[in-house]
Amino acid sequence: AFELRDCAQVALVSASPRKGVSLGGGDVQVRIANMPINEQLANGGITASFGSTSAQVVSARKVVPDPTIYPDAPTNEWDVYLTITSPAIDMIGSVTVTLKTGSAQVTFEYVIVQPCDLKVFCASQQLALGGMVLNPFHLETTPPIDETCSFEYCITKDAIPFPTIQRTSVCANDKCTSKPIGVTTGGDLVILTLLDFVAQSAADVSISVSM
């Protein structure tokens, strides 16, 4: 198939995917013809919004036809390739994505869908002995791009490692000891080295002291 376009006009060539979850976090690859770009900036000086919500332009790259391959290509034609991260949006339905720099602007429609409740989905699966739970690490590194409930976000309970303490250090008055002892008044710095302790951030950790 042949693609005909006015070399003087800014035009959307492609955008994929055009659907994502309301939690955001998915990358959208966009190709735009003839959009002005500031190549000194990582985002090309281009702003993006999903409806009224601003979005991050992760990267912008200008590509011109190679004259050794396309000797007859117009010298005033180029494509801009963008990677945009969809933002979290508190709605379900279609929104207009707007990409703009200076007076140049392109738009396209993007569908926001409700993500799968993966905690409920994984807990309902009884294919493995002991059941399954959500794998938070896979969810963080590979967020879902649509509403599909997938087993890839689940892990068997038996596969969750049992945490162990490898090393303990108690520090006070600029001195440290490996013995787990301290004073009743508190104030000691306790440093633990743990193996297979499943936590993504300090907010996931709670500490209690008992006699």
Side-chain angles (χ1 to χ4, degrees):
F2 290 94
E3 179 183 348
L4 300 177
R5 65 190 188 210
D6 186 344
C7 295
Q9 296 297 317
V10 176
L12 177 72
V13 178
S14 63
S16 180
R18 295 201 185 196
K19 179 173 73 172
V21 295
S22 57
L23 297 176
D27 284 344
V28 181
Q29 307 298 328
V30 183
R31 178 184 172 191
I32 307 172
N34 308 315
M35 175 168 263
I37 180 175
N38 184 343
E39 297 183 82
Q40 302 302 313
L41 300 176
N43 66 0
I46 298 171
T47 61
S49 62
F50 285 60
S52 60
T53 304
S54 297
Q56 180 187 9
V57 178
V58 179
S59 64
R61 181 170 55 95
K62 180 178 179 180
V63 177
V64 297
D66 187 338
T68 63
I69 300 176
Y70 305 102
D72 298 326
T75 57
N76 63 336
E77 180 180 1
W78 65 88
D79 284 336
V80 171
Y81 292 82
L82 303 176
T83 298
I84 307 165
T85 300
S86 62
I89 299 179
D90 188 20
M91 65 156 288
I92 303 299
S94 180
V95 297
T96 299
V97 178
T98 302
L99 303 170
K100 186 176 182 180
T101 177
S103 61
Q105 174 177 302
V106 297
T107 62
F108 62 90
E109 294 303 301
Y110 187 86
V111 179
I112 307 293
V113 296
Q114 182 71 37
C116 170
D117 189 332
L118 291 167
K119 284 187 178 180
V120 173
F121 171 74
C122 293
S124 68
Q125 308 308 308
Q126 299 298 328
L127 299 181
L129 183 63
M132 306 186 81
V133 294
L134 174 65
N135 184 342
F137 295 100
H138 186 60
L139 179 63
E140 181 180 31
T141 57
T142 313
I145 61 173
D146 57 30
E147 70 274 35
T148 303
C149 292
S150 173
F151 279 112
E152 69 174 294
Y153 294 100
C154 305
I155 185 174
T156 61
K157 293 181 179 179
D158 294 339
I160 300 175
F162 187 79
T164 57
I165 299 176
Q166 289 190 310
R167 183 179 178 182
T168 303
S169 297
V170 180
C171 302
N173 300 321
D174 297 326
K175 294 183 179 180
C176 295
T177 177
S178 60
K179 296 180 180 180
I181 58 176
V183 296
T184 57
T185 55
D188 296 333
L189 175 64
V190 180
I191 304 174
L192 298 177
T193 303
L194 305 173
L195 179 66
D196 294 330
F197 187 72
V198 182
Q200 294 173 277
S201 67
D204 296 330
V205 181
S206 62
I207 299 174
S208 62
V209 179
S210 61
M211 301 296 291

PDB file of all heavy atoms in Angstrom, residues 11-34:
ATOM      1  N   ALA A  11       1.260  15.572  10.768  1.00  0.00           N
ATOM      2  CA  ALA A  11       0.201  14.561  10.730  1.00  0.00           C
ATOM      3  C   ALA A  11       0.575  13.353  11.570  1.00  0.00           C
ATOM      4  O   ALA A  11       1.743  12.949  11.628  1.00  0.00           O
ATOM      5  CB  ALA A  11      -0.064  14.131   9.285  1.00  0.00           C
ATOM      6  N   LEU A  12      -0.429  12.774  12.233  1.00  0.00           N
ATOM      7  CA  LEU A  12      -0.230  11.536  12.979  1.00  0.00           C
ATOM      8  C   LEU A  12      -0.120  10.374  11.998  1.00  0.00           C
ATOM      9  O   LEU A  12      -0.970  10.205  11.134  1.00  0.00           O
ATOM     10  CB  LEU A  12      -1.407  11.302  13.931  1.00  0.00           C
ATOM     11  CG  LEU A  12      -1.367   9.992  14.720  1.00  0.00           C
ATOM     12  CD1 LEU A  12      -0.285  10.052  15.801  1.00  0.00           C
ATOM     13  CD2 LEU A  12      -2.730   9.710  15.350  1.00  0.00           C
ATOM     14  N   VAL A  13       0.938   9.584  12.134  1.00  0.00           N
ATOM     15  CA  VAL A  13       1.127   8.413  11.283  1.00  0.00           C
ATOM     16  C   VAL A  13       0.617   7.161  11.989  1.00  0.00           C
ATOM     17  O   VAL A  13      -0.120   6.355  11.421  1.00  0.00           O
ATOM     18  CB  VAL A  13       2.607   8.247  10.892  1.00  0.00           C
ATOM     19  CG1 VAL A  13       2.796   6.991  10.036  1.00  0.00           C
ATOM     20  CG2 VAL A  13       3.099   9.483  10.156  1.00  0.00           C
ATOM     21  N   SER A  14       0.987   6.994  13.258  1.00  0.00           N
ATOM     22  CA  SER A  14       0.546   5.811  13.999  1.00  0.00           C
ATOM     23  C   SER A  14       0.659   6.064  15.498  1.00  0.00           C
ATOM     24  O   SER A  14       1.420   6.923  15.945  1.00  0.00           O
ATOM     25  CB  SER A  14       1.376   4.578  13.619  1.00  0.00           C
ATOM     26  OG  SER A  14       2.744   4.765  13.974  1.00  0.00           O
ATOM     27  N   ALA A  15      -0.118   5.301  16.278  1.00  0.00           N
ATOM     28  CA  ALA A  15      -0.065   5.335  17.738  1.00  0.00           C
ATOM     29  C   ALA A  15      -0.482   3.965  18.245  1.00  0.00           C
ATOM     30  O   ALA A  15      -1.532   3.454  17.847  1.00  0.00           O
ATOM     31  CB  ALA A  15      -0.974   6.414  18.306  1.00  0.00           C
ATOM     32  N   SER A  16       0.343   3.366  19.106  1.00  0.00           N
ATOM     33  CA  SER A  16       0.046   2.017  19.591  1.00  0.00           C
ATOM     34  C   SER A  16       0.697   1.781  20.956  1.00  0.00           C
ATOM     35  O   SER A  16       1.846   2.168  21.158  1.00  0.00           O
ATOM     36  CB  SER A  16       0.564   0.986  18.588  1.00  0.00           C
ATOM     37  OG  SER A  16       0.289  -0.322  19.034  1.00  0.00           O
ATOM     38  N   PRO A  17      -0.072   1.169  21.878  1.00  0.00           N
ATOM     39  CA  PRO A  17      -1.482   0.794  21.775  1.00  0.00           C
ATOM     40  C   PRO A  17      -2.374   2.005  22.014  1.00  0.00           C
ATOM     41  O   PRO A  17      -1.916   3.036  22.498  1.00  0.00           O
ATOM     42  CB  PRO A  17      -1.634  -0.230  22.888  1.00  0.00           C
ATOM     43  CG  PRO A  17      -0.664   0.238  23.937  1.00  0.00           C
ATOM     44  CD  PRO A  17       0.524   0.755  23.170  1.00  0.00           C
ATOM     45  N   ARG A  18      -3.642   1.841  21.676  1.00  0.00           N
ATOM     46  CA  ARG A  18      -4.599   2.923  21.897  1.00  0.00           C
ATOM     47  C   ARG A  18      -5.574   2.563  23.007  1.00  0.00           C
ATOM     48  O   ARG A  18      -6.699   3.075  23.058  1.00  0.00           O
ATOM     49  CB  ARG A  18      -5.349   3.242  20.614  1.00  0.00           C
ATOM     50  CG  ARG A  18      -4.446   3.792  19.509  1.00  0.00           C
ATOM     51  CD  ARG A  18      -5.237   4.549  18.480  1.00  0.00           C
ATOM     52  NE  ARG A  18      -4.412   4.991  17.359  1.00  0.00           N
ATOM     53  CZ  ARG A  18      -4.781   5.913  16.494  1.00  0.00           C
ATOM     54  NH1 ARG A  18      -5.952   6.491  16.618  1.00  0.00           N
ATOM     55  NH2 ARG A  18      -3.986   6.270  15.499  1.00  0.00           N
ATOM     56  N   LYS A  19      -5.153   1.679  23.876  1.00  0.00           N
ATOM     57  CA  LYS A  19      -5.977   1.290  25.023  1.00  0.00           C
ATOM     58  C   LYS A  19      -5.067   0.998  26.197  1.00  0.00           C
ATOM     59  O   LYS A  19      -3.971   0.443  26.041  1.00  0.00           O
ATOM     60  CB  LYS A  19      -6.828   0.061  24.687  1.00  0.00           C
ATOM     61  CG  LYS A  19      -7.701  -0.412  25.844  1.00  0.00           C
ATOM     62  CD  LYS A  19      -8.656  -1.519  25.432  1.00  0.00           C
ATOM     63  CE  LYS A  19      -7.952  -2.834  25.218  1.00  0.00           C
ATOM     64  NZ  LYS A  19      -8.907  -3.948  25.002  1.00  0.00           N
ATOM     65  N   GLY A  20      -5.473   1.402  27.395  1.00  0.00           N
ATOM     66  CA  GLY A  20      -4.676   1.138  28.583  1.00  0.00           C
ATOM     67  C   GLY A  20      -5.533   1.206  29.831  1.00  0.00           C
ATOM     68  O   GLY A  20      -6.698   1.631  29.782  1.00  0.00           O
ATOM     69  N   VAL A  21      -4.961   0.793  30.953  1.00  0.00           N
ATOM     70  CA  VAL A  21      -5.710   0.755  32.207  1.00  0.00           C
ATOM     71  C   VAL A  21      -5.690   2.112  32.892  1.00  0.00           C
ATOM     72  O   VAL A  21      -4.804   2.940  32.659  1.00  0.00           O
ATOM     73  CB  VAL A  21      -5.133  -0.321  33.150  1.00  0.00           C
ATOM     74  CG1 VAL A  21      -5.330  -1.704  32.551  1.00  0.00           C
ATOM     75  CG2 VAL A  21      -3.656  -0.076  33.444  1.00  0.00           C
ATOM     76  N   SER A  22      -6.674   2.319  33.760  1.00  0.00           N
ATOM     77  CA  SER A  22      -6.803   3.603  34.454  1.00  0.00           C
ATOM     78  C   SER A  22      -5.654   3.862  35.416  1.00  0.00           C
ATOM     79  O   SER A  22      -5.428   5.008  35.816  1.00  0.00           O
ATOM     80  CB  SER A  22      -8.144   3.653  35.205  1.00  0.00           C
ATOM     81  OG  SER A  22      -8.246   2.566  36.123  1.00  0.00           O
ATOM     82  N   LEU A  23      -4.929   2.824  35.802  1.00  0.00           N
ATOM     83  CA  LEU A  23      -3.783   2.994  36.698  1.00  0.00           C
ATOM     84  C   LEU A  23      -2.630   3.710  36.007  1.00  0.00           C
ATOM     85  O   LEU A  23      -1.728   4.239  36.664  1.00  0.00           O
ATOM     86  CB  LEU A  23      -3.300   1.626  37.205  1.00  0.00           C
ATOM     87  CG  LEU A  23      -4.285   0.826  38.055  1.00  0.00           C
ATOM     88  CD1 LEU A  23      -3.688  -0.535  38.380  1.00  0.00           C
ATOM     89  CD2 LEU A  23      -4.631   1.582  39.326  1.00  0.00           C
ATOM     90  N   GLY A  24      -2.636   3.718  34.671  1.00  0.00           N
ATOM     91  CA  GLY A  24      -1.553   4.341  33.912  1.00  0.00           C
ATOM     92  C   GLY A  24      -0.300   3.487  33.943  1.00  0.00           C
ATOM     93  O   GLY A  24      -0.315   2.322  34.335  1.00  0.00           O
ATOM     94  N   GLY A  25       0.805   4.070  33.500  1.00  0.00           N
ATOM     95  CA  GLY A  25       2.086   3.371  33.541  1.00  0.00           C
ATOM     96  C   GLY A  25       2.451   2.642  32.268  1.00  0.00           C
ATOM     97  O   GLY A  25       3.564   2.109  32.156  1.00  0.00           O
ATOM     98  N   GLY A  26       1.547   2.601  31.289  1.00  0.00           N
ATOM     99  CA  GLY A  26       1.842   1.914  30.039  1.00  0.00           C
ATOM    100  C   GLY A  26       2.471   2.850  29.018  1.00  0.00           C
ATOM    101  O   GLY A  26       2.152   4.042  28.964  1.00  0.00           O
ATOM    102  N   ASP A  27       3.394   2.321  28.224  1.00  0.00           N
ATOM    103  CA  ASP A  27       4.043   3.123  27.187  1.00  0.00           C
ATOM    104  C   ASP A  27       3.234   3.102  25.896  1.00  0.00           C
ATOM    105  O   ASP A  27       2.740   2.046  25.475  1.00  0.00           O
ATOM    106  CB  ASP A  27       5.456   2.600  26.909  1.00  0.00           C
ATOM    107  CG  ASP A  27       6.442   2.994  27.993  1.00  0.00           C
ATOM    108  OD1 ASP A  27       6.113   3.906  28.780  1.00  0.00           O
ATOM    109  OD2 ASP A  27       7.534   2.404  28.059  1.00  0.00           O
ATOM    110  N   VAL A  28       3.127   4.264  25.272  1.00  0.00           N
ATOM    111  CA  VAL A  28       2.449   4.406  23.988  1.00  0.00           C
ATOM    112  C   VAL A  28       3.483   4.896  22.973  1.00  0.00           C
ATOM    113  O   VAL A  28       4.165   5.889  23.209  1.00  0.00           O
ATOM    114  CB  VAL A  28       1.285   5.412  24.067  1.00  0.00           C
ATOM    115  CG1 VAL A  28       0.578   5.510  22.717  1.00  0.00           C
ATOM    116  CG2 VAL A  28       0.303   5.020  25.164  1.00  0.00           C
ATOM    117  N   GLN A  29       3.629   4.163  21.878  1.00  0.00           N
ATOM    118  CA  GLN A  29       4.576   4.527  20.826  1.00  0.00           C
ATOM    119  C   GLN A  29       3.832   5.322  19.749  1.00  0.00           C
ATOM    120  O   GLN A  29       2.833   4.852  19.213  1.00  0.00           O
ATOM    121  CB  GLN A  29       5.208   3.267  20.208  1.00  0.00           C
ATOM    122  CG  GLN A  29       5.825   2.309  21.225  1.00  0.00           C
ATOM    123  CD  GLN A  29       6.963   2.921  22.002  1.00  0.00           C
ATOM    124  OE1 GLN A  29       7.697   3.774  21.487  1.00  0.00           O
ATOM    125  NE2 GLN A  29       7.138   2.502  23.247  1.00  0.00           N
ATOM    126  N   VAL A  30       4.346   6.504  19.454  1.00  0.00           N
ATOM    127  CA  VAL A  30       3.670   7.406  18.513  1.00  0.00           C
ATOM    128  C   VAL A  30       4.644   7.833  17.418  1.00  0.00           C
ATOM    129  O   VAL A  30       5.817   8.112  17.691  1.00  0.00           O
ATOM    130  CB  VAL A  30       3.122   8.659  19.235  1.00  0.00           C
ATOM    131  CG1 VAL A  30       2.360   9.546  18.248  1.00  0.00           C
ATOM    132  CG2 VAL A  30       2.240   8.273  20.412  1.00  0.00           C
ATOM    133  N   ARG A  31       4.137   7.874  16.206  1.00  0.00           N
ATOM    134  CA  ARG A  31       4.928   8.359  15.062  1.00  0.00           C
ATOM    135  C   ARG A  31       4.180   9.529  14.433  1.00  0.00           C
ATOM    136  O   ARG A  31       2.997   9.411  14.112  1.00  0.00           O
ATOM    137  CB  ARG A  31       5.122   7.245  14.039  1.00  0.00           C
ATOM    138  CG  ARG A  31       5.908   7.669  12.783  1.00  0.00           C
ATOM    139  CD  ARG A  31       5.968   6.517  11.796  1.00  0.00           C
ATOM    140  NE  ARG A  31       6.537   6.920  10.516  1.00  0.00           N
ATOM    141  CZ  ARG A  31       6.495   6.155   9.416  1.00  0.00           C
ATOM    142  NH1 ARG A  31       5.912   4.965   9.454  1.00  0.00           N
ATOM    143  NH2 ARG A  31       7.032   6.594   8.283  1.00  0.00           N
ATOM    144  N   ILE A  32       4.867  10.659  14.302  1.00  0.00           N
ATOM    145  CA  ILE A  32       4.257  11.870  13.768  1.00  0.00           C
ATOM    146  C   ILE A  32       5.109  12.383  12.617  1.00  0.00           C
ATOM    147  O   ILE A  32       6.338  12.452  12.721  1.00  0.00           O
ATOM    148  CB  ILE A  32       4.144  12.965  14.837  1.00  0.00           C
ATOM    149  CG1 ILE A  32       3.427  12.435  16.075  1.00  0.00           C
ATOM    150  CG2 ILE A  32       3.424  14.188  14.296  1.00  0.00           C
ATOM    151  CD1 ILE A  32       3.447  13.382  17.244  1.00  0.00           C
ATOM    152  N   ALA A  33       4.459  12.755  11.533  1.00  0.00           N
ATOM    153  CA  ALA A  33       5.168  13.307  10.376  1.00  0.00           C
ATOM    154  C   ALA A  33       5.329  14.814  10.528  1.00  0.00           C
ATOM    155  O   ALA A  33       4.371  15.522  10.855  1.00  0.00           O
ATOM    156  CB  ALA A  33       4.411  12.995   9.086  1.00  0.00           C
ATOM    157  N   ASN A  34       6.564  15.289  10.318  1.00  0.00           N
ATOM    158  CA  ASN A  34       6.868  16.713  10.160  1.00  0.00           C
ATOM    159  C   ASN A  34       6.618  17.579  11.391  1.00  0.00           C
ATOM    160  O   ASN A  34       6.451  18.786  11.273  1.00  0.00           O
ATOM    161  CB  ASN A  34       6.082  17.289   8.973  1.00  0.00           C
ATOM    162  CG  ASN A  34       6.274  16.464   7.722  1.00  0.00           C
ATOM    163  OD1 ASN A  34       7.390  16.078   7.391  1.00  0.00           O
ATOM    164  ND2 ASN A  34       5.180  16.159   7.048  1.00  0.00           N
TER     165      ASN A  34
END
